[in-house]
Amino acid sequence: MTNVWETHTPEETFELGRSLGEKAVAGQIYCLDGDLGTGKTVFTQGFAAGLGIEEPVNSPTFTIVQQYDGGRLPMYHFDVYRIGDVEEMEEIGYEDCFYGEGVCLIEWSLLIRELLPRTAVRVVIEKELEKGFDYRKISIENMRDTE
Ligand code: ADP
Ligand code: MG
């Protein structure tokens, strides 16, 4: 089953992320896909707020993953946009994050699709310019339902 949300401001996308962060449980993996500038990081910032993380969350530019320990659960924020090869994921020890006690959010997850467990949740963010510049369609579904 796919749940679809429509947002019209960055704040609404942030609040959707927050509501999911509030409900997050250890071991969850959220895969965030959508073009550059659709709101994957905004969603992640809301999610972090929902976990109670107060530290500022930005896209990890020089590292593939950034860990935040200030909330109810550890949060691992991946941005794999610049990854060259999935072996780089092995090198950073991604399995400790995916199968650990925290929650993972992965921007551009399709670039590492072969590593994603079937238990992950897929979040796809799309623009529809005819509905306005700030309109976003956010589809959320369990990965196992997409197969
Ligand atoms: P991404 O991580 O997907 O590349 P960002 O989250 O960094 O994108 O940036 C999204 C940009 O789009 C921000 O500048 C934000 O203010 C803007 N924006 C406009 N409308 C929305 C919306 N409805 N939801 C999320 N971001 C929006
Ligand atoms: Mg981003």
Side-chain angles (χ1 to χ4, degrees):
M1 190 183 68
T2 307
N3 288 307
V4 178
W5 278 267
E6 296 179 294
T7 69
H8 301 84
T9 61
E11 291 74 23
E12 282 177 31
T13 298
F14 184 98
E15 287 307 321
L16 174 60
R18 186 208 294 270
S19 71
L20 293 167
E22 284 170 352
K23 288 178 241 157
V25 298
Q28 283 179 332
I29 299 180
Y30 281 85
C31 300
L32 308 174
D33 289 284
D35 291 341
L36 202 63
T38 46
K40 300 180 292 299
T41 299
V42 169
F43 177 95
T44 302
Q45 289 164 339
F47 198 99
L51 284 169
I53 292 165
E54 289 174 2
E55 216 182 312
V57 173
N58 292 300
S59 258
T61 317
F62 300 108
T63 51
I64 292 171
V65 62
Q66 181 74 46
Q67 178 172 351
Y68 297 91
D69 284 326
R72 186 169 58 77
L73 297 168
M75 185 181 96
Y76 302 99
H77 180 202
F78 291 79
D79 186 329
V80 301
Y81 186 64
R82 285 185 182 76
I83 207 163
D85 194 285
V86 289
E87 272 178 27
E88 285 178 50
M89 291 290 286
E90 314 269 356
E91 283 159 21
I92 63 163
Y94 80 94
E95 285 167 303
D96 293 340
C97 308
F98 279 23
Y99 305 103
E101 293 305 309
V103 189
C104 294
L105 286 95
I106 311 170
E107 298 193 36
W108 299 99
S109 76
L110 288 174
L111 295 174
I112 56 158
R113 71 193 322 156
E114 58 264 59
L115 302 182
L116 303 173
R118 296 179 70 250
T119 51
V121 176
R122 180 173 298 296
V123 179
V124 177
I125 311 181
E126 295 162 295
K127 293 186 186 182
E128 283 179 27
L129 286 177
E130 63 276 17
K131 295 196 178 170
F133 196 65
D134 291 346
Y135 172 88
R136 301 291 188 271
K137 179 180 164 194
I138 305 177
S139 309
I140 304 184
E141 62 188 341
N142 291 319
M143 206 93 95
R144 62 160 73 84
D145 296 339
T146 69
E147 288 163 359

PDB file of all heavy atoms in Angstrom, residues 35-42 44 58-60 77-79 107-108, ligand 2:
ATOM      1  N   ASP A  35      14.504  14.005  -7.264  1.00  0.00           N
ATOM      2  CA  ASP A  35      15.541  14.862  -7.864  1.00  0.00           C
ATOM      3  C   ASP A  35      16.173  15.795  -6.835  1.00  0.00           C
ATOM      4  O   ASP A  35      15.626  16.007  -5.751  1.00  0.00           O
ATOM      5  CB  ASP A  35      14.922  15.711  -8.985  1.00  0.00           C
ATOM      6  CG  ASP A  35      14.515  14.858 -10.176  1.00  0.00           C
ATOM      7  OD1 ASP A  35      15.021  13.723 -10.291  1.00  0.00           O
ATOM      8  OD2 ASP A  35      13.674  15.327 -10.966  1.00  0.00           O
ATOM      9  N   LEU A  36      17.281  16.377  -7.255  1.00  0.00           N
ATOM     10  CA  LEU A  36      17.953  17.401  -6.452  1.00  0.00           C
ATOM     11  C   LEU A  36      16.963  18.522  -6.130  1.00  0.00           C
ATOM     12  O   LEU A  36      16.237  18.988  -7.005  1.00  0.00           O
ATOM     13  CB  LEU A  36      19.112  17.956  -7.292  1.00  0.00           C
ATOM     14  CG  LEU A  36      20.257  18.643  -6.563  1.00  0.00           C
ATOM     15  CD1 LEU A  36      20.965  17.655  -5.641  1.00  0.00           C
ATOM     16  CD2 LEU A  36      21.241  19.192  -7.581  1.00  0.00           C
ATOM     17  N   GLY A  37      16.910  18.918  -4.862  1.00  0.00           N
ATOM     18  CA  GLY A  37      16.068  20.046  -4.478  1.00  0.00           C
ATOM     19  C   GLY A  37      14.606  19.714  -4.292  1.00  0.00           C
ATOM     20  O   GLY A  37      13.771  20.618  -4.221  1.00  0.00           O
ATOM     21  N   THR A  38      14.265  18.439  -4.185  1.00  0.00           N
ATOM     22  CA  THR A  38      12.854  18.118  -3.956  1.00  0.00           C
ATOM     23  C   THR A  38      12.493  18.169  -2.475  1.00  0.00           C
ATOM     24  O   THR A  38      11.325  18.377  -2.133  1.00  0.00           O
ATOM     25  CB  THR A  38      12.499  16.723  -4.533  1.00  0.00           C
ATOM     26  OG1 THR A  38      13.490  15.778  -4.174  1.00  0.00           O
ATOM     27  CG2 THR A  38      12.368  16.776  -6.051  1.00  0.00           C
ATOM     28  N   GLY A  39      13.471  17.940  -1.593  1.00  0.00           N
ATOM     29  CA  GLY A  39      13.159  18.041  -0.163  1.00  0.00           C
ATOM     30  C   GLY A  39      13.586  16.851   0.678  1.00  0.00           C
ATOM     31  O   GLY A  39      13.112  16.689   1.810  1.00  0.00           O
ATOM     32  N   LYS A  40      14.496  16.041   0.171  1.00  0.00           N
ATOM     33  CA  LYS A  40      14.959  14.880   0.942  1.00  0.00           C
ATOM     34  C   LYS A  40      15.630  15.326   2.243  1.00  0.00           C
ATOM     35  O   LYS A  40      15.428  14.722   3.292  1.00  0.00           O
ATOM     36  CB  LYS A  40      15.947  14.044   0.095  1.00  0.00           C
ATOM     37  CG  LYS A  40      15.338  13.518  -1.207  1.00  0.00           C
ATOM     38  CD  LYS A  40      16.316  12.695  -2.027  1.00  0.00           C
ATOM     39  CE  LYS A  40      17.469  13.471  -2.612  1.00  0.00           C
ATOM     40  NZ  LYS A  40      17.072  14.549  -3.557  1.00  0.00           N
ATOM     41  N   THR A  41      16.415  16.393   2.140  1.00  0.00           N
ATOM     42  CA  THR A  41      17.091  16.863   3.355  1.00  0.00           C
ATOM     43  C   THR A  41      16.104  17.552   4.298  1.00  0.00           C
ATOM     44  O   THR A  41      16.171  17.372   5.520  1.00  0.00           O
ATOM     45  CB  THR A  41      18.268  17.790   2.980  1.00  0.00           C
ATOM     46  OG1 THR A  41      19.201  17.036   2.191  1.00  0.00           O
ATOM     47  CG2 THR A  41      18.985  18.303   4.212  1.00  0.00           C
ATOM     48  N   VAL A  42      15.165  18.306   3.746  1.00  0.00           N
ATOM     49  CA  VAL A  42      14.137  18.937   4.593  1.00  0.00           C
ATOM     50  C   VAL A  42      13.361  17.869   5.366  1.00  0.00           C
ATOM     51  O   VAL A  42      13.124  17.987   6.579  1.00  0.00           O
ATOM     52  CB  VAL A  42      13.171  19.792   3.734  1.00  0.00           C
ATOM     53  CG1 VAL A  42      11.956  20.233   4.545  1.00  0.00           C
ATOM     54  CG2 VAL A  42      13.898  20.995   3.147  1.00  0.00           C
ATOM     55  N   THR A  44      14.443  14.923   6.167  1.00  0.00           N
ATOM     56  CA  THR A  44      15.362  14.358   7.158  1.00  0.00           C
ATOM     57  C   THR A  44      15.499  15.287   8.368  1.00  0.00           C
ATOM     58  O   THR A  44      15.569  14.825   9.520  1.00  0.00           O
ATOM     59  CB  THR A  44      16.744  14.123   6.507  1.00  0.00           C
ATOM     60  OG1 THR A  44      16.575  13.251   5.387  1.00  0.00           O
ATOM     61  CG2 THR A  44      17.728  13.507   7.491  1.00  0.00           C
ATOM     62  N   ASN A  58      22.441  18.774   8.146  1.00  0.00           N
ATOM     63  CA  ASN A  58      22.645  19.208   6.761  1.00  0.00           C
ATOM     64  C   ASN A  58      23.064  18.013   5.939  1.00  0.00           C
ATOM     65  O   ASN A  58      23.404  16.981   6.496  1.00  0.00           O
ATOM     66  CB  ASN A  58      23.710  20.301   6.692  1.00  0.00           C
ATOM     67  CG  ASN A  58      23.217  21.576   7.344  1.00  0.00           C
ATOM     68  OD1 ASN A  58      22.225  22.150   6.924  1.00  0.00           O
ATOM     69  ND2 ASN A  58      23.887  21.989   8.405  1.00  0.00           N
ATOM     70  N   SER A  59      23.060  18.166   4.634  1.00  0.00           N
ATOM     71  CA  SER A  59      23.510  17.054   3.818  1.00  0.00           C
ATOM     72  C   SER A  59      24.983  16.796   4.092  1.00  0.00           C
ATOM     73  O   SER A  59      25.786  17.719   4.087  1.00  0.00           O
ATOM     74  CB  SER A  59      23.304  17.339   2.333  1.00  0.00           C
ATOM     75  OG  SER A  59      22.159  16.656   1.904  1.00  0.00           O
ATOM     76  N   PRO A  60      25.325  15.543   4.370  1.00  0.00           N
ATOM     77  CA  PRO A  60      26.743  15.229   4.595  1.00  0.00           C
ATOM     78  C   PRO A  60      27.503  15.308   3.269  1.00  0.00           C
ATOM     79  O   PRO A  60      27.421  14.422   2.450  1.00  0.00           O
ATOM     80  CB  PRO A  60      26.723  13.801   5.153  1.00  0.00           C
ATOM     81  CG  PRO A  60      25.367  13.249   4.858  1.00  0.00           C
ATOM     82  CD  PRO A  60      24.473  14.369   4.427  1.00  0.00           C
ATOM     83  N   HIS A  77      22.428   9.539   8.896  1.00  0.00           N
ATOM     84  CA  HIS A  77      21.969  10.252   7.696  1.00  0.00           C
ATOM     85  C   HIS A  77      22.968  10.016   6.572  1.00  0.00           C
ATOM     86  O   HIS A  77      24.084  10.536   6.604  1.00  0.00           O
ATOM     87  CB  HIS A  77      21.839  11.744   8.025  1.00  0.00           C
ATOM     88  CG  HIS A  77      21.376  12.575   6.869  1.00  0.00           C
ATOM     89  ND1 HIS A  77      21.598  13.933   6.796  1.00  0.00           N
ATOM     90  CD2 HIS A  77      20.686  12.254   5.738  1.00  0.00           C
ATOM     91  CE1 HIS A  77      21.074  14.405   5.675  1.00  0.00           C
ATOM     92  NE2 HIS A  77      20.521  13.403   5.012  1.00  0.00           N
ATOM     93  N   PHE A  78      22.559   9.231   5.590  1.00  0.00           N
ATOM     94  CA  PHE A  78      23.406   8.945   4.427  1.00  0.00           C
ATOM     95  C   PHE A  78      23.008   9.849   3.274  1.00  0.00           C
ATOM     96  O   PHE A  78      21.817  10.119   3.063  1.00  0.00           O
ATOM     97  CB  PHE A  78      23.204   7.507   3.930  1.00  0.00           C
ATOM     98  CG  PHE A  78      23.724   6.426   4.836  1.00  0.00           C
ATOM     99  CD1 PHE A  78      23.007   6.035   5.956  1.00  0.00           C
ATOM    100  CD2 PHE A  78      24.912   5.787   4.552  1.00  0.00           C
ATOM    101  CE1 PHE A  78      23.473   5.016   6.778  1.00  0.00           C
ATOM    102  CE2 PHE A  78      25.392   4.764   5.368  1.00  0.00           C
ATOM    103  CZ  PHE A  78      24.677   4.376   6.479  1.00  0.00           C
ATOM    104  N   ASP A  79      23.996  10.291   2.510  1.00  0.00           N
ATOM    105  CA  ASP A  79      23.735  10.885   1.208  1.00  0.00           C
ATOM    106  C   ASP A  79      24.719  10.216   0.263  1.00  0.00           C
ATOM    107  O   ASP A  79      25.917  10.494   0.304  1.00  0.00           O
ATOM    108  CB  ASP A  79      23.933  12.396   1.228  1.00  0.00           C
ATOM    109  CG  ASP A  79      23.514  13.037  -0.093  1.00  0.00           C
ATOM    110  OD1 ASP A  79      23.648  12.367  -1.140  1.00  0.00           O
ATOM    111  OD2 ASP A  79      23.074  14.195  -0.089  1.00  0.00           O
ATOM    112  N   GLU A 107      19.574   9.371   1.511  1.00  0.00           N
ATOM    113  CA  GLU A 107      19.252  10.155   0.309  1.00  0.00           C
ATOM    114  C   GLU A 107      19.892   9.491  -0.902  1.00  0.00           C
ATOM    115  O   GLU A 107      21.009   9.035  -0.839  1.00  0.00           O
ATOM    116  CB  GLU A 107      19.760  11.598   0.457  1.00  0.00           C
ATOM    117  CG  GLU A 107      19.098  12.318   1.619  1.00  0.00           C
ATOM    118  CD  GLU A 107      19.320  13.827   1.620  1.00  0.00           C
ATOM    119  OE1 GLU A 107      19.360  14.433   0.533  1.00  0.00           O
ATOM    120  OE2 GLU A 107      19.440  14.381   2.722  1.00  0.00           O
ATOM    121  N   TRP A 108      19.168   9.454  -2.006  1.00  0.00           N
ATOM    122  CA  TRP A 108      19.605   8.833  -3.262  1.00  0.00           C
ATOM    123  C   TRP A 108      19.803   7.331  -3.101  1.00  0.00           C
ATOM    124  O   TRP A 108      20.741   6.744  -3.665  1.00  0.00           O
ATOM    125  CB  TRP A 108      20.905   9.475  -3.792  1.00  0.00           C
ATOM    126  CG  TRP A 108      20.778  10.927  -4.108  1.00  0.00           C
ATOM    127  CD1 TRP A 108      21.175  11.968  -3.313  1.00  0.00           C
ATOM    128  CD2 TRP A 108      20.203  11.524  -5.278  1.00  0.00           C
ATOM    129  NE1 TRP A 108      20.888  13.164  -3.931  1.00  0.00           N
ATOM    130  CE2 TRP A 108      20.299  12.927  -5.130  1.00  0.00           C
ATOM    131  CE3 TRP A 108      19.618  10.994  -6.441  1.00  0.00           C
ATOM    132  CZ2 TRP A 108      19.822  13.803  -6.103  1.00  0.00           C
ATOM    133  CZ3 TRP A 108      19.157  11.882  -7.397  1.00  0.00           C
ATOM    134  CH2 TRP A 108      19.259  13.265  -7.219  1.00  0.00           C
TER     135      TRP A 108
HETATM  136 MG    MG B   2      19.809  16.574   0.191  1.00  0.00          MG
END
